[in-house]
Amino acid sequence: MTSELRIVTGYRSGSTFLQEGYYTRPFKLADVGIYRADKALCLMLMTASPGMLDGDNYHMAVTVSAHTRLQLQTQAYQRLFTMQQGAAQHITVHVQQGACFSYVPHPVVPHAGASFEGHNRITLEQGCRLVWGEILTCGRKLNGEAFQFKQFHNLTELYYQGRLVLKDNLLLQPERINVTAFGQMEGYTHQATLIYADTRTAAAPVADRLLHILAPETGIAYGVSQTAGPALVLRVLGHGAEQLYNCLKKMESLLWEEAPVLT
């Protein structure tokens, strides 16, 4: 099934509002920030489906208009069910001048035999900010399905001023590549990625503050890299989805508070 989602934000009287919200089955959108003091728009992406099924093709487009702030949340873990052909997801994001967008979804759980292809294309303009998260689990580990999926491939491209500044290419094929080998998962079962970009000219460094959040955690390995442009990538390996998700949500909260409040 082909499904579509389109979000466009608007700015009025110091607040961000949903200017355009279009979706087809199984997507739904809910405003979960209506009672918050924060004048940003906080939406929850919900789905009537238990997860992605064989042949599903998701197309999502998000435009964060100039000087607006959008935080997009998810409802629950995203499951990738057993497949013959596979499923695909394409997300395009445009963060306009002076805007802020944050998206840290729940972990992805690929079941045995699942095959997934994802492509995220993000375009940034001047004076904007981006928080982008991704967490991949090994599958239903307690069911004996650790790394029993066929393939998980997710490509994220980040553009600033028409120039590619980051390409994050995550490919796991357990049937072909030993995921426990050096340079792969190295004994860990879960992986989290956080991309943070800030194109403001007076942006303050935040890498040390993010690493400080991870310092008390046990049973994980992590590192941070600066990209060719105004962005950094933080990668975390661990053994539990909730631990990694909580870490990324703490980072999201810190980075969100760094954004100036629109008046």
Side-chain angles (χ1 to χ4, degrees), residues 115-137:
S115 180
F116 175 83
E117 287 278 349
H119 185 196
N120 310 307
R121 181 185 174 94
I122 306 169
T123 302
L124 306 178
E125 295 186 11
Q126 291 183 346
C128 70
R129 293 157 38 82
L130 169 78
V131 182
W132 183 271
E134 171 189 308
I135 302 174
L136 174 66
T137 74

Side-chain angles (χ1 to χ4, degrees), residues 146-214:
F147 298 113
Q148 295 298 307
F149 54 90
K150 296 177 184 176
Q151 173 177 284
F152 182 90
H153 186 201
N154 199 34
L155 175 66
T156 300
E157 296 175 311
L158 184 65
Y159 291 85
Y160 175 53
Q161 295 182 330
R163 184 170 64 98
L164 179 65
V165 297
L166 168 67
K167 177 179 283 191
D168 184 51
N169 191 12
L170 174 60
L171 174 62
L172 287 181
Q173 296 174 311
E175 295 178 350
R176 300 180 58 188
I177 302 173
N178 181 9
V179 294
T180 64
F182 182 77
Q184 297 294 315
M185 298 293 287
E186 300 184 10
Y188 293 95
T189 56
H190 296 60
Q191 176 175 282
T193 302
L194 183 79
I195 297 174
Y196 174 66
D198 190 342
T199 65
R200 298 176 299 178
T201 55
V206 297
D208 289 343
R209 300 177 67 185
L210 298 181
L211 294 177
H212 181 73
I213 292 176
L214 295 175

Side-chain angles (χ1 to χ4, degrees), residues 95-116:
V95 187
Q96 297 182 358
Q97 184 173 0
C100 181
F101 178 53
S102 182
Y103 180 52
V104 180
H106 281 80
V108 177
V109 183
H111 290 206
S115 180
F116 175 83

